[in-house]
Amino acid sequence: MPTAETPSAELPPAVREIADGYAFTGPALDLGAAVQGTTAYPAARIRIPLGVLNRHGLVAGATGTGKTKTLQLIAEQLSAQGVPVFLADIKGDVSGIGAPGAAGERVGARAAEVGQSWTAQGCPAEFYSLGGQGTGIPIRATVTSFGPLLLAKVLDLNETQESSLGLVFHYADRNGLELYDLKDLTAVISFLTSPEGKEELKSLGGLSAATAGVILRSLTVLDNEGAGAFFGEPEFDTAELLRTAPGGSPGPEGEGGRGVVSVLELPAVQDRPRLFSTFLMWLLADLYQELPEVGDLDEPKLVFFFDEAHLLFKGASKAFLEAITQTVRLIRSKGVGIFFVTQTPKDVPSDVLAQLGNRVQHALRAFTPDDAKALKATVSTFPRSSYDLSEVLTSLGTGEAVVTVLSEKGAPTPVAATRLRAPQSRMGPLEPAALQAAVDGSALTARYRDPVDRESAYEKLAARAARPAPQDAAPPPPAREQEQERRRAGTAEQGDGGLLGSLLSNPALKSFARSVGSQLGREISRSLFGTSRRRR
């Protein structure tokens, strides 16, 4: 493709205006070169300031237009700047980010077109898998940490069932019944629907036996599908996602290091999109819960790429969408940037889309009336520009995109048709043996590999059921003796402390006080998604 080796001062007026809009003074990531017609202008560098990445972003485009390579390009530059990155690898083709790329004719041509000094270089990477299904360090969450709102999304419950599940979690929290894995939650619901637990079920008010039965059946189906492996201990500590490795530029706290790229390998569970997309949201919710407020930093603590984002929002309840919106709005003050990756902006709810300040839009197709409608909606989300975006977005080639980001002052930059740089890491998956070797060599593997099954709700309820029934109580004493005993007790109590002493020694009051203290100790503080606070 044509390239214009033109000094910045001699750029065409429209291209020069774009170049001026991306001339940042602070550290920034290079995306590529501005394009006019079919000509790329390397002097017109299209960049994203490092300091605005916590204002979130969107990478969108039709299948096969280069979204994955864009993620790779951004991630490896973040790593070089000392910023940790999280990537979800849906198709298994991102693992190559941990190895140097291979020089070739196409890579050399693209580098020349955009003025890139290309050098093969991999990133420090850790590879994870959900519950150990597939190749990777296992990521697990306890059921109580996952919370009722996220679990309801996985189980595809309606809003009534979702609120009922919340009551079950509340009951377990209040009664010291730890929910570590699915069998714990199943045991609690089974107890509540049993003859022994029917009075407890009534005390919950909004939970009917029929609804409890529906939830129980949904849990059984989920467990039979093998999802039980995702829940349990040891629970993954999301602080592992914030690490740096030796080398590279100073990190978010000023220390030297390259940001570790955490890749969640999902090919083994890609047929269960509702499950893995909700697990990604749990990771974000846990980060939000645990990280301190830091305000606007010069560079983010973590950038989180949420691939196949439409799966998260599809069929979500109102409460779930509200929780996502609030998490996205608030987590930027914790130093975390989120990039949603999907096909069109209309896949993302408008309240979330309004918070995504950085946009990389790859080509869209307009083969059907629905495609044309999506194209029109996408064009309407961009700032005004001299481009006919309807035409540009349908004519972009692979590895090209329309870009607008936030400037260092927080204002949108000019819309720029851009030819993107080539990633310097491997564009494709690692060989299975190399991926397995990377996992085996990680210091985290020993920490998370083997599941742990501690005493929890399942064992406690089983022990309760195994206890022998209490013996029949002895017959009460005659009424006259009862009255005399009460008088004697009352005299003694008043002598020991008057009315206050009488109240404090009252068995019913003591029982109530113990109950309140126990409840305060057991009740678990929960966040926007109902996820529990981590107890370190």
Side-chain angles (χ1 to χ4, degrees):
M1 293 183 180
T3 299
E5 296 291 345
T6 308
S8 178
E10 300 176 17
L11 292 171
V15 177
R16 184 175 180 179
E17 182 180 350
I18 290 171
D20 291 343
Y22 289 85
F24 309 124
T25 57
L29 310 183
D30 279 301
L31 293 180
V35 174
Q36 187 176 64
T38 60
T39 303
Y41 291 86
R45 298 166 64 194
I46 306 303
R47 310 161 75 212
I48 305 179
L50 201 56
V52 303
L53 286 168
N54 69 333
R55 302 297 183 90
H56 312 316
L58 177 72
V59 178
T63 302
T65 55
K67 296 192 298 294
T68 301
K69 300 301 180 287
T70 299
L71 303 191
Q72 198 168 337
L73 172 66
I74 296 174
E76 62 188 25
Q77 291 187 69
L78 285 167
S79 174
Q81 296 272 9
V83 178
V85 177
F86 176 88
L87 291 171
D89 188 6
I90 308 294
K91 300 185 289 291
D93 54 1
V94 183
S95 58
I97 198 168
E105 186 177 338
R106 292 177 63 186
V107 169
R110 174 55 61 95
E113 290 167 8
V114 299
Q116 177 184 6
S117 178
W118 189 92
T119 304
Q121 186 177 40
C123 301
E126 294 280 12
F127 301 97
Y128 298 95
S129 63
L130 283 185
Q133 294 197 5
T135 305
I137 301 160
I139 287 183
R140 302 181 187 88
T142 62
V143 169
T144 195
S145 173
F146 205 70
L149 199 56
L150 291 175
L151 188 57
K153 180 76 164 61
V154 173
L155 296 174
D156 198 19
L157 302 182
N158 62 33
E159 293 194 17
T160 299
Q161 294 158 354
E162 179 183 283
S163 62
S164 296
L165 183 62
L167 291 175
V168 175
F169 273 73
H170 175 71
Y171 172 81
D173 289 349
R174 192 181 62 196
N175 288 278
L177 297 172
E178 299 87 355
L179 304 177
Y180 293 147
D181 50 31
L182 289 184
K183 75 176 187 298
D184 289 324
L185 183 56
T186 300
V188 171
I189 299 175
S190 296
F191 168 73
L192 290 172
T193 55
S194 69
E196 295 79 11
K198 62 182 180 181
E199 292 304 318
E200 303 276 2
L201 183 66
K202 287 181 182 177
S203 72
L204 290 179
L207 177 62
S208 69
T211 299
V214 170
I215 297 172
L216 193 58
R217 287 191 294 274
S218 297
L219 284 171
T220 301
V221 170
L222 185 67
D223 201 18
N224 289 341
E225 290 176 348
F230 308 142
F231 296 97
E233 294 187 303
E235 182 173 79
F236 182 70
D237 185 349
T238 49
E240 310 285 12
L241 304 178
L242 305 176
R243 296 182 302 126
T244 58
S249 303
E253 304 298 330
E255 75 280 6
R258 300 174 68 199
V260 172
V261 179
S262 299
V263 183
L264 180 59
E265 295 291 324
L266 293 170
V269 294
Q270 61 179 317
D271 58 336
R272 281 172 275 184
R274 185 183 295 271
L275 178 65
F276 70 68
S277 64
T278 311
F279 248 90
L280 294 182
M281 200 65 230
W282 171 75
L283 291 173
L284 270 182
D286 194 75
L287 285 165
Y288 172 77
Q289 186 94 316
E290 297 299 319
L291 290 175
E293 294 279 343
V294 293
D296 287 326
L297 300 172
D298 291 337
E299 51 192 37
K301 287 189 171 184
L302 174 73
V303 176
F304 192 106
F305 288 94
F306 208 124
D307 204 359
E308 302 291 344
H310 64 283
L311 300 173
L312 179 70
F313 303 112
K314 184 179 180 182
S317 68
K318 180 180 179 182
F320 188 82
L321 290 175
E322 288 175 350
I324 293 174
T325 303
Q326 196 164 354
T327 300
V328 173
R329 181 182 299 121
L330 299 177
I331 202 170
R332 78 178 187 88
S333 66
K334 307 288 185 98
V336 177
I338 305 169
F339 274 70
F340 290 99
V341 185
T342 188
Q343 294 199 0
T344 73
K346 73 181 184 64
D347 293 334
V348 181
S350 57
D351 287 345
V352 176
L353 189 63
Q355 299 175 59
L356 310 183
N358 303 294
R359 300 279 300 279
V360 181
Q361 177 67 57
H362 288 266
L364 290 174
R365 311 298 180 218
F367 298 142
T368 69
D370 284 344
D371 290 342
K373 190 181 298 184
L375 175 62
K376 184 177 180 180
T378 299
V379 169
S380 69
T381 64
F382 277 88
R384 291 182 180 178
S385 72
S386 60
Y387 291 104
D388 180 350
L389 284 179
S390 295
E391 181 180 344
V392 172
L393 287 173
T394 53
S395 60
L396 290 170
T398 301
E400 295 182 337
V402 170
V403 175
T404 180
V405 302
L406 293 179
S407 70
E408 292 165 313
K409 295 181 179 180
T413 58
V415 176
T418 306
R419 189 161 299 155
L420 299 168
R421 292 159 64 104
Q424 295 178 301
S425 55
R426 179 171 178 169
M427 290 185 278
L430 287 178
E431 293 86 357
L435 181 59
Q436 187 64 58
V439 173
D440 293 341
S442 171
L444 300 180
T445 298
R447 188 179 307 169
Y448 294 108
R449 178 183 54 211
D450 299 323
V452 175
D453 191 7
R454 291 193 292 160
E455 183 186 53
S456 49
Y458 175 82
E459 289 79 14
K460 289 182 177 180
L461 291 172
R464 182 187 300 183
R467 289 192 203 117
Q471 298 295 323
D472 292 339
R480 184 177 177 182
E481 293 180 20
Q482 288 184 17
E483 178 63 24
Q484 290 175 345
E485 181 63 30
R486 275 197 298 271
R487 286 178 180 176
R488 283 195 297 271
T491 301
E493 287 164 355
Q494 290 180 14
D496 287 342
L499 181 60
L500 179 60
S502 175
L503 288 172
L504 291 176
S505 62
N506 186 291
L509 187 60
K510 284 183 177 179
S511 175
F512 173 74
R514 280 196 302 270
S515 173
V516 170
S518 176
Q519 180 171 339
L520 289 173
R522 288 171 178 164
E523 198 71 55
I524 295 175
S525 174
R526 295 191 175 274
S527 71
L528 297 174
F529 280 95
T531 54
S532 69
R533 289 192 178 277
R534 188 182 301 279
R535 293 176 176 176
R536 299 192 187 279

